[in-house]
Amino acid sequence: MPDVFLFSLFLFFLQYGVSESYKPVILMHGILSSQRDLNDLKAFIKKAHPGTETYNIDAFNDLLSLEPMGKQVRIVAPMMKKIMDANPQGVHLICFSQGGLVCRGVLETLPSHNVYNFISLSSPQGGQFGVPSMLKPFIPAVSREYLYEVFYTSVGQNVSVGDYWYDPHHLDLFKKPALKVFLAQLNNQTANPYSSAFKNNFLKIKNLIMIGGPDDGVITPWQSSHFGTYDENENVKEMVNQEYYIKDSFGLQTLNKRGSLHKYVIPGVKHTHWHGNKDVFEKCIEQWLD
Ligand SMILES: *[C@@H]1O[C@H](CO)[C@@H](O)[C@H](O)[C@H]1NC(C)=O
Ligand SMILES: *[C@@H]1O[C@H](CO)[C@@H](O)[C@H](O)[C@H]1NC(C)=O
């Protein structure tokens, strides 16, 4: 009965040949680290989903990661676009720490991206108001209350951290049109003639997965990994209370209403351990890499 044989062969390929192809994954590293640091995460992906193509973005490694965010986005966007064009079935993004803001910049500015799931791994999406020890050698040794005097200037904006420094006591400067603070532009909290395009581009993703936790030790406040910030009394203001969420300035509320926002709060993980933690991968990442 050759027909039956052929038919089962066909079923076999349908099941194991076609459906087993996972979308490629693009990985973007964080501040003062390099593309090599994400090889642990890459290995988890390859083991869980054999055959997956992965691409570590090899740019702004180590000290170069301190270069301005706008520049990083302008250089990284065409690198990612090349990978997307070669993979018309779509790709996933996993972006760690500062890399999550580089990726958000790419997603908001690239009109024809084909990113399915954007995994933001302990990334200061709400900004940063604290100087972790690894940054101390590069930043004036004053307490965080005074750093706005450095960061909210054209010289301070020339350093990546300055571009997402979020001082709740000086939001007038953060939003000042002449400074064009990178994060304020992404959030539409300062003049941005392209805000509608930014929102439309961002909304092309299928899911936004936000991962962070209270023992991170670097992201400040740690809730920034879920779009939280400090308010003027340094209490945490959650995403749903942010002005840009309420106004849906770049699509967060739309994503939430269509069930595309996924939030993971994982205790016990230090900042530099997120990408190498197998539990985090299995609990929060693996299922989104289909
Ligand atoms: C910005 O930093 C670069 C080096 O990264 C330097 O060449 C340039 O002069 C700086 N510009 C300003 C305005 O500080
Ligand atoms: C961005 O903010 C400006 C000024 O408040 C507003 O006119 C514009 O509609 C906003 N854009 C979006 C996409 O909400």
Side-chain angles (χ1 to χ4, degrees):
M1 282 181 277
D3 286 355
V4 173
F5 174 74
L6 279 178
F7 186 62
S8 34
L9 204 65
F10 167 75
L11 282 183
F12 177 85
F13 276 111
L14 203 65
Q15 197 170 352
Y16 299 101
V18 182
S19 69
E20 277 292 298
S21 115
Y22 297 102
K23 289 187 183 62
V25 182
I26 303 178
L27 302 154
M28 183 71 218
H29 68 82
I31 196 167
L32 295 176
S33 72
S34 86
Q35 51 100 13
R36 286 180 309 278
D37 292 308
L38 297 183
N39 283 343
D40 45 11
L41 180 52
K42 184 170 160 168
F44 291 153
I45 299 170
K46 300 263 188 199
K47 184 133 192 276
H49 295 165
T52 306
E53 294 290 344
T54 58
Y55 303 88
N56 292 18
I57 295 295
D58 189 6
F60 300 101
N61 293 313
D62 306 311
L63 279 180
L64 294 177
S65 65
L66 293 169
E67 292 218 22
M69 294 296 285
K71 178 178 176 187
Q72 297 200 35
V73 170
R74 278 195 305 280
I75 305 247
V76 167
M79 294 173 82
M80 290 190 173
K81 182 72 167 74
K82 219 172 135 188
I83 300 166
M84 294 171 193
D85 288 346
N87 294 283
Q89 76 276 32
V91 301
H92 299 304
L93 280 186
I94 307 181
C95 310
F96 173 57
S97 193
Q98 175 181 282
L101 285 171
V102 174
C103 290
R104 206 175 122 207
V106 170
L107 292 170
E108 291 194 30
T109 54
L110 201 57
S112 51
H113 76 75
N114 59 4
V115 173
Y116 265 65
N117 295 335
F118 168 31
I119 299 167
S120 171
L121 183 60
S122 193
S123 170
Q125 297 292 349
Q128 174 76 9
F129 188 48
V131 181
S133 53
M134 74 223 222
L135 276 178
K136 287 200 168 127
F138 306 97
I139 287 175
V142 295
S143 79
R144 67 179 182 182
E145 276 70 31
Y146 301 105
L147 279 172
Y148 76 94
E149 293 179 4
V150 180
F151 284 141
Y152 295 154
T153 64
S154 56
V155 174
Q157 290 294 300
N158 204 18
V159 179
S160 66
V161 197
D163 302 330
Y164 52 90
W165 188 251
Y166 188 94
D167 183 332
H169 311 293
H170 296 282
L171 292 182
D172 51 329
L173 293 173
F174 177 78
K175 295 177 181 180
K176 195 171 143 186
L179 269 183
K180 294 195 169 78
V181 175
F182 171 80
L183 183 60
Q185 283 184 301
L186 292 187
N187 291 346
N188 197 32
Q189 289 178 293
T190 190
N192 177 4
Y194 306 108
S195 64
S196 298
F198 276 31
K199 181 175 175 179
N200 290 339
N201 297 338
F202 193 59
L203 281 172
K204 292 206 175 95
I205 60 170
K206 302 286 181 280
N207 292 289
L208 166 54
I209 294 93
M210 309 174 288
I211 306 166
D215 303 306
D216 182 89
V218 167
I219 306 299
T220 316
W222 67 265
Q223 291 90 340
S224 174
S225 52
H226 309 113
F227 291 92
T229 62
Y230 285 123
D231 67 11
E232 55 277 12
N233 302 313
E234 299 190 10
N235 295 317
V236 171
K237 185 172 170 181
E238 299 289 347
M239 175 186 78
V240 292
N241 299 320
Q242 302 291 344
E243 192 187 13
Y244 52 72
Y245 180 86
I246 293 160
K247 291 185 175 168
D248 203 21
S249 303
F250 62 96
L252 268 188
Q253 195 190 114
T254 302
L255 287 177
N256 205 10
K257 287 191 169 153
R258 74 172 199 217
S260 300
L261 272 192
H262 311 275
K263 171 175 165 176
Y264 293 91
V265 177
I266 309 291
V269 183
K270 285 194 170 46
H271 189 67
T272 52
H273 296 172
W274 286 102
H275 47 77
N277 185 308
K278 197 147 194 283
D279 286 343
V280 170
F281 177 75
E282 286 172 352
K283 216 182 278 178
C284 324
I285 300 179
E286 185 178 340
Q287 63 189 292
W288 299 106
L289 305 179
D290 53 347

